[in-house]
């Protein structure tokens, strides 16, 4: 959970999930087994709140990052980066911002562009981890809350994780799902 204003905001997360199933789409039958799974539930927006969010699975580690913030939180950083291995939580780090770069088309809203890539740098004590993501697909939707009008981006991409954690060098790569907002 994270303190937000005078209340708490919490998440329930499954850091590593393999799924199987099938779907009928436009007369075409698609099926798969042991695919990377991701569950997300958006119930809308509240009090002009936005978030940064990502969940990904690598060869060795799963990762989850995020943070919820609103207009009154300008200048403060609510962000965390959690690394998990087969035994559970491996390390939790903090980061101040996400650096977005490049521009790519999206599905959903004509004329909207998503970032091509982004990075963040998580730290805790002597540990430092760099997460670099290449965005492969993005979906945009309009969000209106109170006086704010924003574009919500849901992205899929490939990541590389490098750094040093608990005295050991770290490298992992994989795929994940990521969310952010654009101001309009």
């Amino acid at each position: 959970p994270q303190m937000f204003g005078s209340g708490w905001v919490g998440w329930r997360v499954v850091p590593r999930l393999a799924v199987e199933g099938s779907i009928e789409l436009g007369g075409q039958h698609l099926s798969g087994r042991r695919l990377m799974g991701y569950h997300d539930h958006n119930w809308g927006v509240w009090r002009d709140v936005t978030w940064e969010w990502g969940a990904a699975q690598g060869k060795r580690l799963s990762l989850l990052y995020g943070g919820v913030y609103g207009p009154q939180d300008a200048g403060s950083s609510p962000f965390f980066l959690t690394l998990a291995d087969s035994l559970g939580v491996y390390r939790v780090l903090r980061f101040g911002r996400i650096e977005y770069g490049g521009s790519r088309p999206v599905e959903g809203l004509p004329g909207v562009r998503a970032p091509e890539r982004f990075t963040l740098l998580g730290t805790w004590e002597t540990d430092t981890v760099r997460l670099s993501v290449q965005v492969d697909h993005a979906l945009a939707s309009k969000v209106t809350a109170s006086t704010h009008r924003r574009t919500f981006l849901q992205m899929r991409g490939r990541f590389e994780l490098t750094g040093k954690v608990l005295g050991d060098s770290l490298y992992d790569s994989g795929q994940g799902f990521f969310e952010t907002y654009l101001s309009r």
Side-chain angles (χ1 to χ4, degrees):
Q2 174 183 332
M3 186 68 167
F4 182 77
S6 61
W8 289 90
V9 176
W11 301 271
R12 181 176 205 111
V13 178
V14 178
R16 194 166 202 72
L17 181 66
V19 298
E20 67 179 76
S22 62
I23 186 169
E24 191 79 28
L25 184 63
Q28 185 179 10
H29 183 79
L30 306 168
S31 63
R33 300 186 75 146
R34 301 208 40 84
L35 302 171
M36 186 177 110
Y38 174 65
H39 171 71
D40 191 7
H41 43 81
N42 293 323
W43 298 304
V45 294
W46 74 102
R47 290 186 18 213
D48 301 329
V49 169
T50 60
W51 57 83
E52 302 283 346
W53 183 260
Q57 296 176 15
K59 295 171 183 74
R60 180 177 158 238
L61 297 171
S62 297
L63 66 91
L64 170 70
Y65 74 80
V68 174
Y69 54 100
Q72 75 278 9
D73 295 325
S76 63
S77 174
F79 302 126
F80 66 90
L81 168 62
T82 302
L83 307 177
D85 62 14
S86 62
L87 299 176
V89 173
Y90 179 60
R91 192 64 161 153
V92 178
L93 304 106
R94 302 284 300 182
F95 65 94
R97 67 179 182 269
I98 299 175
E99 297 288 336
Y100 291 99
S103 176
R104 62 165 292 120
V106 301
E107 287 188 37
L109 293 176
V112 173
R113 307 286 292 180
E116 285 181 310
R117 64 192 170 281
F118 62 90
T119 60
L120 63 86
L121 186 65
T123 61
W124 190 262
E125 297 174 347
T126 61
D127 296 340
T128 301
V129 173
R130 177 177 298 281
L131 172 65
S132 301
V133 174
Q134 180 67 41
V135 176
D136 294 328
H137 182 265
L139 175 67
S141 55
K142 291 180 185 178
V143 176
T144 302
S146 182
T147 60
H148 294 284
R149 301 204 185 314
R150 284 167 265 163
T151 299
F152 179 56
L153 294 179
Q154 293 173 296
M155 302 173 287
R156 178 176 39 84
R158 296 165 279 128
F159 78 89
E160 284 192 347
L161 192 63
T162 58
K164 208 167 197 99
V165 174
L166 302 173
D168 293 326
S169 291
L170 174 70
Y171 175 82
D172 203 357
S173 63
Q175 297 183 7
F177 303 95
F178 314 97
E179 298 177 352
T180 192
Y181 284 87
L182 302 173
S183 295
R184 291 194 271 149

